[in-house]
């Protein structure tokens, strides 16, 4: 089935008890046992499994084309579960420009636990090849990457991981399964922050790990989900399920609007550089055109005149909202270096845009008036 159909149908079924067409929110934390102590419907206690979460997991599994999915309370909880499914002493290769929360987990939580990580520029496959070794168990890929939207060759990195006997995990948050299909490119697991485009409305946090094969590794992720308990509430699951129904249509509009905004910025004399994979001069453009169906809703630009000028532009917007995160209907603008804090490698004159679903003319006009001067 096509992704538009899966987005509306996968995981949903008419409730057999009531005939309700919309998936119910089951709040019960506990479930009745049969007189013999069994629980043939599969539910015992909602940390381990619950009907609304199961509906979401089936939907996520089918959208990504995997065999099973585990839903978490945030993208970061999903990320942590993947790394905790490894063992102390294992080695990981991760991108030096991974999501800053992922970098923080690896450096501040998992390194003390015994996981060793080598951080590399994954746009250069020779760096990945040089970094993998006999103890490498996992190669983490994130593409397009934040905030320069660099593009990594998933198939190339997955092949290098497999040669080394390691798994390849792809953080597919920025692209979504609508625009990028990591399993078809060789990834073994896919991770999402459903807080972003899958939820899609800036009103729910969540994460997921989806697997191509239901093996021991995924069973460990499942165990961490159920026994660690970083699980989404039934209402959170329902909100993500509801958001996903319009995901394919939203991703088209986000991508169209972002391309138009990036093209406008690229021609503006007050802009030093634009980072959007849909622009032909972006270093990852050719690869993105091969690997992605469209180029997504995220773009960044560097303002001529440095940090002060960038802050001034962000202060002038009227339609965009100054806020972090992305993937909602409302357009956001963010001075990324400030949010990442000390040690950031993000240029100080960079503003990141989450291009939303407002009319593109209003978005371009807003940036034009905020930038001022000749367009
Ligand atoms: C937001 C994000 C995360 C973390 O997800 P949370 O839901 O905020 O915990 C991980 N990876 C990427 C690419 C993200 O954008």
């Amino acid at each position: 089935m096509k992704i538009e159909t899966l987005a509306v149908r996968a995981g949903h079924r008419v409730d057999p008890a009531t005939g309700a067409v919309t998936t119910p929110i089951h709040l019960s934390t506990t479930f009745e046992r049969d007189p013999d102590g069994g629980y043939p419907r599969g539910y015992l206690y909602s940390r381990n499994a619950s009907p609304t979460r199961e509906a979401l997991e089936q939907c996520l599994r089918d959208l990504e084309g995997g065999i099973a999915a585990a839903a978490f309370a945030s993208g970061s909880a999903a990320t942590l579960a993947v790394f905790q499914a490894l063992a102390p002493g294992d080695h990981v290769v991760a991108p030096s420009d991974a999501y800053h929360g992922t970098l923080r987990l690896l450096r501040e939580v998992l390194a003390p636990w015994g996981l060793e990580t080598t951080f590399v520029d994954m746009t250069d496959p020779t760096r990945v090849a040089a970094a993998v070794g006999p103890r490498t168990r996992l190669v983490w890929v994130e593409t397009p990457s934040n905030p320069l939207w660099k593009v990594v060759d998933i198939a190339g990195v997955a092949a290098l991981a497999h040669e080394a006997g390691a798994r390849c995990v792809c953080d597919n948050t920025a692209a979504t399964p609508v625009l990028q299909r990591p399993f078809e490119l060789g990834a073994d697991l896919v991770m999402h922050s459903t807080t972003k485009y899958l939820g899609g409305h800036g009103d729910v946090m969540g994460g997921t790990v989806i697997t191509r094969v239901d093996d021991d590794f995924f069973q460990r992720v499942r165990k961490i989900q159920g026994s660690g308990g970083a699980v989404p509430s039934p209402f959170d699951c329902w909100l993500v399920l509801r958001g996903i129904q319009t995901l394919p249509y939203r991703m088209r509009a986000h991508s169209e609007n972002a391309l138009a905004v990036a093209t406008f910025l690229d021609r503006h004399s007050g802009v030093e550089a634009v980072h959007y994979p849909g622009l032909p001069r972006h270093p990852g453009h050719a690869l993105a055109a091969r690997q992605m169906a469209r180029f997504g809703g995220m773009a960044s630009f560097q303002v001529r005149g440095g940090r002060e000028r960038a802050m001034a532009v962000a202060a002038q917007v009227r339609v965009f909202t100054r806020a972090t995160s992305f993937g909602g209907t409302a357009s956001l603008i963010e001075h990324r270096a400030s949010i990442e804090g000390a040690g950031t490698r993000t240029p100080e004159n960079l503003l990141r845009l989450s291009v939303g679903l407002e009319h593109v003319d209003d978005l371009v006009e807003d940036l034009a008036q905020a930038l001022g001067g000749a367009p």
Side-chain angles (χ1 to χ4, degrees):
M1 270 196 268
K2 309 280 191 202
I3 198 150
E4 290 81 357
T5 310
L6 292 172
V8 172
R9 294 288 177 175
H12 298 270
R13 73 175 91 71
V14 173
D15 180 37
T18 61
V21 171
T22 302
T23 299
I25 304 174
H26 287 288
L27 293 173
S28 192
T29 54
T30 190
F31 298 85
E32 188 185 31
R33 293 194 178 207
D34 279 0
D36 67 1
Y39 41 99
R41 287 159 293 228
Y43 307 112
L44 172 68
Y45 184 57
S46 68
R47 172 154 42 72
N48 300 101
S50 88
T52 314
R53 193 174 90 209
E54 212 164 78
L56 173 62
E57 289 176 341
Q58 289 171 4
C59 179
L60 292 165
R61 172 198 71 192
D62 292 352
L63 266 193
E64 200 61 82
I67 193 95
F72 287 87
S74 71
S76 302
T79 300
L80 186 58
V82 170
F83 291 125
Q84 285 179 327
L86 296 168
D90 285 350
H91 175 249
V92 168
V93 179
S96 43
D97 62 346
Y99 173 71
H100 73 119
T102 303
L103 293 177
R104 200 165 295 158
L105 278 177
L106 284 166
R107 290 193 178 119
E108 297 174 16
V109 177
L110 292 152
W113 179 70
L115 201 67
E116 192 201 326
T117 307
T118 304
F119 299 95
V120 297
D121 173 0
M122 282 207 181
T123 59
D124 179 357
T126 63
R127 308 261 177 119
V128 180
V132 294
R135 285 189 302 112
T136 308
R137 294 287 172 271
L138 194 152
V139 179
W140 186 269
V141 183
E142 183 185 323
T143 180
S145 70
N146 201 354
L148 300 181
W149 313 110
K150 290 185 185 172
V151 184
V152 173
D153 178 0
I154 299 171
V157 172
L160 288 169
H162 295 158
E163 268 171 47
R167 284 180 175 75
C168 176
V169 184
C170 181
D171 181 340
N172 203 26
T173 300
T176 80
V178 178
L179 305 184
Q180 183 167 274
R181 314 289 305 166
F183 288 142
E184 291 169 20
L185 298 166
D188 302 288
L189 296 119
V190 170
M191 170 265 160
H192 284 281
S193 167
T194 56
T195 313
K196 314 295 168 51
Y197 288 112
L198 274 62
H201 296 74
D203 53 13
V204 59
M205 295 210 85
T208 187
V209 180
I210 308 161
T211 187
R212 196 157 53 92
V213 286
D214 196 357
D215 56 4
D216 287 353
F217 187 83
F218 187 73
Q219 286 311 315
R220 286 203 290 282
V221 171
R222 264 272 180 249
K223 195 158 283 177
I224 292 161
Q225 178 200 34
S227 52
V231 292
S233 78
F235 185 54
D236 291 351
C237 294
W238 188 87
L239 282 171
V240 177
L241 265 174
R242 173 175 160 133
I244 285 171
Q245 298 189 43
T246 53
L247 178 71
Y249 295 92
R250 287 188 285 107
M251 291 318 293
R252 267 179 230 170
H254 281 296
S255 298
E256 277 172 21
N257 281 2
L259 181 60
V261 164
T263 303
F264 159 77
L265 291 168
D266 197 41
R267 295 183 186 139
H268 197 287
S269 60
V271 173
E272 195 175 272
V274 181
H275 306 281
Y276 183 66
L279 294 178
R281 73 163 86 169
H282 186 278
H285 177 70
L287 178 55
R290 270 207 315 278
Q291 186 169 271
M292 300 175 72
R294 292 168 193 264
F295 301 102
M298 297 302 297
S300 300
F301 65 106
Q302 290 174 252
V303 180
R304 211 176 284 289
R307 178 190 166 96
E308 293 316 309
R309 189 67 201 116
M311 296 301 273
V313 169
Q316 286 298 320
V317 292
R318 293 172 196 150
V319 178
F320 280 82
T321 302
R322 284 177 301 279
T324 193
S325 196
F326 65 89
T329 52
S331 291
L332 306 178
I333 188 167
E334 174 182 45
H335 183 254
R336 192 70 196 160
S338 312
I339 188 98
E340 291 180 350
T344 176
R345 300 175 354 147
T346 297
E348 287 287 348
N349 64 343
L350 181 139
L351 295 174
R352 187 182 86 171
L353 302 177
S354 172
V355 181
L357 301 182
E358 303 90 342
H359 196 287
V360 71
D361 292 352
D362 294 326
L363 298 177
V364 167
E365 201 173 295
D366 189 32
L367 291 171
Q369 67 79 24
L371 279 159

